[in-house]
PDB file of all heavy atoms in Angstrom:
ATOM      1  N   ALA A  13     105.716  68.063 140.794  1.00 96.00           N
ATOM      2  CA  ALA A  13     106.885  68.243 141.667  1.00 96.00           C
ATOM      3  C   ALA A  13     106.437  68.430 143.115  1.00 96.00           C
ATOM      4  O   ALA A  13     107.069  67.920 144.047  1.00 96.00           O
ATOM      5  CB  ALA A  13     107.701  69.450 141.204  1.00 96.00           C
ATOM      6  N   LEU A  21     108.825  64.068 151.656  1.00 94.00           N
ATOM      7  CA  LEU A  21     108.940  64.695 152.972  1.00 94.00           C
ATOM      8  C   LEU A  21     108.079  64.019 154.022  1.00 94.00           C
ATOM      9  O   LEU A  21     108.396  64.058 155.223  1.00 94.00           O
ATOM     10  CB  LEU A  21     108.555  66.170 152.871  1.00 94.00           C
ATOM     11  CG  LEU A  21     109.526  67.038 152.068  1.00 94.00           C
ATOM     12  CD1 LEU A  21     108.897  68.388 151.755  1.00 94.00           C
ATOM     13  CD2 LEU A  21     110.825  67.236 152.835  1.00 94.00           C
ATOM     14  N   GLU A  33      95.512  79.091 157.801  1.00 95.00           N
ATOM     15  CA  GLU A  33      94.375  79.721 157.140  1.00 95.00           C
ATOM     16  C   GLU A  33      94.767  81.003 156.397  1.00 95.00           C
ATOM     17  O   GLU A  33      94.091  81.432 155.460  1.00 95.00           O
ATOM     18  CB  GLU A  33      93.279  80.053 158.165  1.00 95.00           C
ATOM     19  CG  GLU A  33      93.567  81.220 159.104  1.00 95.00           C
ATOM     20  CD  GLU A  33      94.519  80.888 160.254  1.00 95.00           C
ATOM     21  OE1 GLU A  33      94.935  79.716 160.359  1.00 95.00           O
ATOM     22  OE2 GLU A  33      94.838  81.799 161.037  1.00 95.00           O
ATOM     23  N   ALA A  40      96.779  88.050 143.841  1.00 97.00           N
ATOM     24  CA  ALA A  40      98.242  88.034 143.792  1.00 97.00           C
ATOM     25  C   ALA A  40      98.847  88.526 145.101  1.00 97.00           C
ATOM     26  O   ALA A  40      98.291  89.403 145.758  1.00 97.00           O
ATOM     27  CB  ALA A  40      98.722  88.920 142.646  1.00 97.00           C
ATOM     28  N   ARG A  62      98.027  76.735 146.159  1.00 96.00           N
ATOM     29  CA  ARG A  62      98.188  77.429 144.887  1.00 96.00           C
ATOM     30  C   ARG A  62      99.637  77.337 144.403  1.00 96.00           C
ATOM     31  O   ARG A  62     100.557  77.104 145.192  1.00 96.00           O
ATOM     32  CB  ARG A  62      97.784  78.896 145.034  1.00 96.00           C
ATOM     33  CG  ARG A  62      96.289  79.100 145.227  1.00 96.00           C
ATOM     34  CD  ARG A  62      95.974  80.554 145.540  1.00 96.00           C
ATOM     35  NE  ARG A  62      96.436  81.450 144.484  1.00 96.00           N
ATOM     36  CZ  ARG A  62      96.510  82.770 144.626  1.00 96.00           C
ATOM     37  NH1 ARG A  62      96.177  83.341 145.771  1.00 96.00           N
ATOM     38  NH2 ARG A  62      96.927  83.515 143.626  1.00 96.00           N
ATOM     39  N   ARG A  94     122.937  91.850 141.521  1.00 75.00           N
ATOM     40  CA  ARG A  94     122.445  92.985 140.741  1.00 75.00           C
ATOM     41  C   ARG A  94     120.987  92.749 140.383  1.00 75.00           C
ATOM     42  O   ARG A  94     120.503  91.609 140.387  1.00 75.00           O
ATOM     43  CB  ARG A  94     123.266  93.159 139.459  1.00 75.00           C
ATOM     44  CG  ARG A  94     123.142  92.011 138.474  1.00 75.00           C
ATOM     45  CD  ARG A  94     123.947  92.235 137.215  1.00 75.00           C
ATOM     46  NE  ARG A  94     123.780  91.136 136.269  1.00 75.00           N
ATOM     47  CZ  ARG A  94     122.787  91.070 135.385  1.00 75.00           C
ATOM     48  NH1 ARG A  94     121.882  92.037 135.329  1.00 75.00           N
ATOM     49  NH2 ARG A  94     122.696  90.053 134.549  1.00 75.00           N
ATOM     50  N   LYS A 108     100.595  90.617 138.242  1.00 96.00           N
ATOM     51  CA  LYS A 108      99.440  91.305 137.665  1.00 96.00           C
ATOM     52  C   LYS A 108      98.429  90.320 137.087  1.00 96.00           C
ATOM     53  O   LYS A 108      97.257  90.675 136.886  1.00 96.00           O
ATOM     54  CB  LYS A 108      99.893  92.301 136.600  1.00 96.00           C
ATOM     55  CG  LYS A 108     100.571  93.532 137.210  1.00 96.00           C
ATOM     56  CD  LYS A 108     100.901  94.580 136.171  1.00 96.00           C
ATOM     57  CE  LYS A 108     101.449  95.826 136.848  1.00 96.00           C
ATOM     58  NZ  LYS A 108     101.787  96.901 135.877  1.00 96.00           N
ATOM     59  N   ILE A 112     101.199  84.054 142.573  1.00 98.00           N
ATOM     60  CA  ILE A 112     102.013  84.217 143.776  1.00 98.00           C
ATOM     61  C   ILE A 112     103.479  84.117 143.381  1.00 98.00           C
ATOM     62  O   ILE A 112     103.874  83.176 142.680  1.00 98.00           O
ATOM     63  CB  ILE A 112     101.699  83.129 144.828  1.00 98.00           C
ATOM     64  CG1 ILE A 112     100.221  83.164 145.225  1.00 98.00           C
ATOM     65  CG2 ILE A 112     102.582  83.305 146.057  1.00 98.00           C
ATOM     66  CD1 ILE A 112      99.819  81.982 146.108  1.00 98.00           C
ATOM     67  N   ALA A 145     104.182  96.438 141.641  1.00 95.00           N
ATOM     68  CA  ALA A 145     103.059  95.599 141.207  1.00 95.00           C
ATOM     69  C   ALA A 145     101.775  95.907 141.973  1.00 95.00           C
ATOM     70  O   ALA A 145     100.707  95.415 141.606  1.00 95.00           O
ATOM     71  CB  ALA A 145     103.423  94.128 141.373  1.00 95.00           C
ATOM     72  N   VAL A 153     107.599  82.214 158.081  1.00 98.00           N
ATOM     73  CA  VAL A 153     108.793  81.806 158.823  1.00 98.00           C
ATOM     74  C   VAL A 153     108.871  80.284 158.810  1.00 98.00           C
ATOM     75  O   VAL A 153     107.884  79.599 159.092  1.00 98.00           O
ATOM     76  CB  VAL A 153     108.757  82.314 160.280  1.00 98.00           C
ATOM     77  CG1 VAL A 153     109.860  81.660 161.110  1.00 98.00           C
ATOM     78  CG2 VAL A 153     108.918  83.838 160.311  1.00 98.00           C
ATOM     79  N   ASP A 187     101.709 106.008 150.224  1.00 74.00           N
ATOM     80  CA  ASP A 187     102.377 107.301 150.387  1.00 74.00           C
ATOM     81  C   ASP A 187     103.007 107.715 149.046  1.00 74.00           C
ATOM     82  O   ASP A 187     103.723 106.933 148.427  1.00 74.00           O
ATOM     83  CB  ASP A 187     103.466 107.173 151.462  1.00 74.00           C
ATOM     84  CG  ASP A 187     104.056 108.521 151.868  1.00 74.00           C
ATOM     85  OD1 ASP A 187     104.221 109.386 150.992  1.00 74.00           O
ATOM     86  OD2 ASP A 187     104.340 108.694 153.062  1.00 74.00           O
ATOM     87  N   THR A 197     107.272  99.787 154.441  1.00 94.00           N
ATOM     88  CA  THR A 197     106.928  98.392 154.154  1.00 94.00           C
ATOM     89  C   THR A 197     108.022  97.452 154.657  1.00 94.00           C
ATOM     90  O   THR A 197     107.740  96.393 155.226  1.00 94.00           O
ATOM     91  CB  THR A 197     106.715  98.186 152.643  1.00 94.00           C
ATOM     92  OG1 THR A 197     105.615  98.995 152.213  1.00 94.00           O
ATOM     93  CG2 THR A 197     106.411  96.735 152.322  1.00 94.00           C
ATOM     94  N   ARG A 213     108.114  80.257 168.531  1.00 98.00           N
ATOM     95  CA  ARG A 213     108.948  79.736 169.616  1.00 98.00           C
ATOM     96  C   ARG A 213     108.104  79.436 170.846  1.00 98.00           C
ATOM     97  O   ARG A 213     108.314  78.426 171.533  1.00 98.00           O
ATOM     98  CB  ARG A 213     110.061  80.727 169.951  1.00 98.00           C
ATOM     99  CG  ARG A 213     111.099  80.869 168.855  1.00 98.00           C
ATOM    100  CD  ARG A 213     112.162  81.890 169.178  1.00 98.00           C
ATOM    101  NE  ARG A 213     113.020  81.465 170.287  1.00 98.00           N
ATOM    102  CZ  ARG A 213     114.109  82.110 170.672  1.00 98.00           C
ATOM    103  NH1 ARG A 213     114.478  83.223 170.046  1.00 98.00           N
ATOM    104  NH2 ARG A 213     114.840  81.655 171.675  1.00 98.00           N
ATOM    105  N   GLU A 229     127.173  73.588 160.461  1.00 93.00           N
ATOM    106  CA  GLU A 229     126.924  73.093 161.821  1.00 93.00           C
ATOM    107  C   GLU A 229     126.014  71.862 161.795  1.00 93.00           C
ATOM    108  O   GLU A 229     126.250  70.893 162.524  1.00 93.00           O
ATOM    109  CB  GLU A 229     126.285  74.192 162.665  1.00 93.00           C
ATOM    110  CG  GLU A 229     127.220  75.321 163.020  1.00 93.00           C
ATOM    111  CD  GLU A 229     126.510  76.429 163.778  1.00 93.00           C
ATOM    112  OE1 GLU A 229     125.539  76.985 163.240  1.00 93.00           O
ATOM    113  OE2 GLU A 229     126.931  76.736 164.909  1.00 93.00           O
TER     114      GLU A 229
END
Side-chain angles (χ1 to χ4, degrees):
L21 292 167
E33 73 282 358
R62 290 173 58 193
R94 65 179 182 86
K108 287 185 175 180
I112 301 172
V153 169
D187 190 322
T197 298
R213 292 178 68 173
E229 289 176 302

